[in-house]
Amino acid sequence: MTSPAAEADGEEPGPVAARFTGRAATGERRLSAALAEVTLDGGRVVMVKRGDGDGAARAEAAGLRWLADAGSVPVPAVHGDDGRWLVTDRVPQGRPGAPAAVRFGRDLAALHAAGAPAFGAAPPGGPEHAYIGLAPMRNVHGTSWPHWYAEHRVLPYLRRAVDDGTVRPAEAEVVERVCERLPELAGPPEPPARLHGDLWNGNVLWGADGRVWLIDPAAHGGHRETDLAMLRLFGCPHLEEILEGYQQVAPLAEGWAGRVGVHQLFPLLVHAVLFGRGYAEQALAVARSALGR
């Protein structure tokens, strides 16, 4: 059966993979309506993904290339993209382990240290209008992380959640108050870090080569604690070992553990917009905790 995604543009994953790699497709395994593994002539396996929105594939491809340029955390090689489709290498998977976790922490610290031109900077060649998961995300430059984070990461999703009825208007005040107090809640100023941007456990692959690989970025310039807060929010194997490795290379500023909730507001509100009230309640609880209520 032809998937809705394929019907939308008349192509199937196999021909897309052949077009970008120059090798004939000999097999195809659908993982979802938008994702497939394609085996090429010669045995190589690639991942073929259809973007969920206009420019999503281009944004993801630009993010993968930008992360790869840091030379730290491995990411799948990009074979090509065209605005709708993205073709990358497949990562053979292994099992989580403590040594790989410590190395990943060190590599993640090096990725962040590679930096970005500004908070909100898109990867080179990446669009201003990008995505985090299925949610639109604008990459707009800012010089002050607290003001940028409030204006371009927290408040847009809070407003949409209120408009959708997921957050009640009277409840929004607690999040707005956190945004007002971000200059004092944010901790010491930090330079823009090169973020993966959607660093939940599902985008962390424990490779068969003994290293941790990253996929599906929403890459942009941001605060390094945001990536780490998202890892903690949704859980990750050997998280304490990851943090241990990170601290070996780039110790976090004093009080970072108390700021985790502030950084989790963004992904929680994104999830509230996409998936409903349960995440909205978590965001409100995090906001109250940040204010000491």
Side-chain angles (χ1 to χ4, degrees), residues 154-176 268-270 272-274 276-277 280 283-284:
V154 177
L155 292 176
Y157 301 97
L158 176 65
R159 295 184 189 113
R160 181 170 165 186
V162 170
D163 289 344
D164 292 345
T166 308
V167 172
R168 302 177 187 95
E171 295 173 322
E173 180 272 337
V174 68
V175 178
E176 292 167 347
L268 281 171
L269 286 168
V270 169
V273 165
L274 294 175
R277 178 66 186 177
L284 293 169

Side-chain angles (χ1 to χ4, degrees), residues 25-281:
T26 60
E28 178 182 311
R29 183 166 76 97
R30 293 297 182 99
L31 303 179
S32 71
L35 185 67
E37 289 182 349
V38 174
T39 303
L40 303 174
D41 184 26
R44 187 172 198 166
V45 180
V46 294
M47 306 300 296
V48 180
K49 181 177 181 180
R50 187 184 189 279
D52 294 299
D54 185 37
R58 182 163 64 93
E60 185 173 333
L64 285 170
R65 293 185 177 107
W66 194 43
L67 299 185
D69 285 346
S72 54
V73 184
V75 299
V78 176
H79 291 283
D81 68 282
D82 64 3
R84 288 197 177 196
W85 293 96
L86 171 66
V87 178
T88 67
D89 276 342
R90 183 190 63 168
V91 178
Q93 294 194 49
R95 297 178 62 84
V102 173
R103 180 172 183 178
F104 172 48
R106 295 196 297 260
D107 290 345
L108 183 61
L111 172 65
H112 290 163
F119 297 112
E128 174 185 326
H129 293 276
Y131 287 83
I132 177 166
L134 300 177
M137 181 184 79
R138 286 189 69 206
N139 287 319
V140 180
H141 284 205
T143 56
S144 162
W145 182 80
H147 291 99
W148 169 83
Y149 182 67
E151 183 176 356
H152 298 293
R153 289 298 180 264
V154 177
L155 292 176
Y157 301 97
L158 176 65
R159 295 184 189 113
R160 181 170 165 186
V162 170
D163 289 344
D164 292 345
T166 308
V167 172
R168 302 177 187 95
E171 295 173 322
E173 180 272 337
V174 68
V175 178
E176 292 167 347
R177 181 65 179 140
V178 171
C179 289
E180 292 170 2
R181 291 187 54 191
L182 271 174
E184 65 185 88
L185 296 174
E190 295 242 357
R194 188 171 305 192
L195 297 190
H196 176 278
D198 192 9
L199 197 57
W200 72 288
N201 184 48
N203 291 337
V204 175
L205 299 185
W206 301 80
D209 61 356
R211 297 193 68 184
V212 173
W213 294 62
L214 297 182
I215 61 170
D216 295 351
H220 62 277
H223 196 301
R224 61 189 181 131
E225 291 177 16
T226 303
D227 264 356
L228 297 173
M230 192 176 291
L231 271 181
R232 184 172 293 280
L233 177 60
F234 296 110
C236 184
H238 301 288
L239 180 57
E240 295 311 311
E241 285 82 2
I242 293 170
L243 292 171
E244 175 189 335
Y246 193 101
Q247 297 269 36
Q248 289 172 5
V249 173
L252 294 161
E254 185 177 354
W256 68 271
R259 295 187 291 272
V260 167
V262 168
H263 291 273
Q264 289 177 344
L265 268 179
F266 166 46
L268 281 171
L269 286 168
V270 169
H271 278 70
V273 165
L274 294 175
F275 305 116
R277 178 66 186 177
Y279 288 106
E281 291 173 350

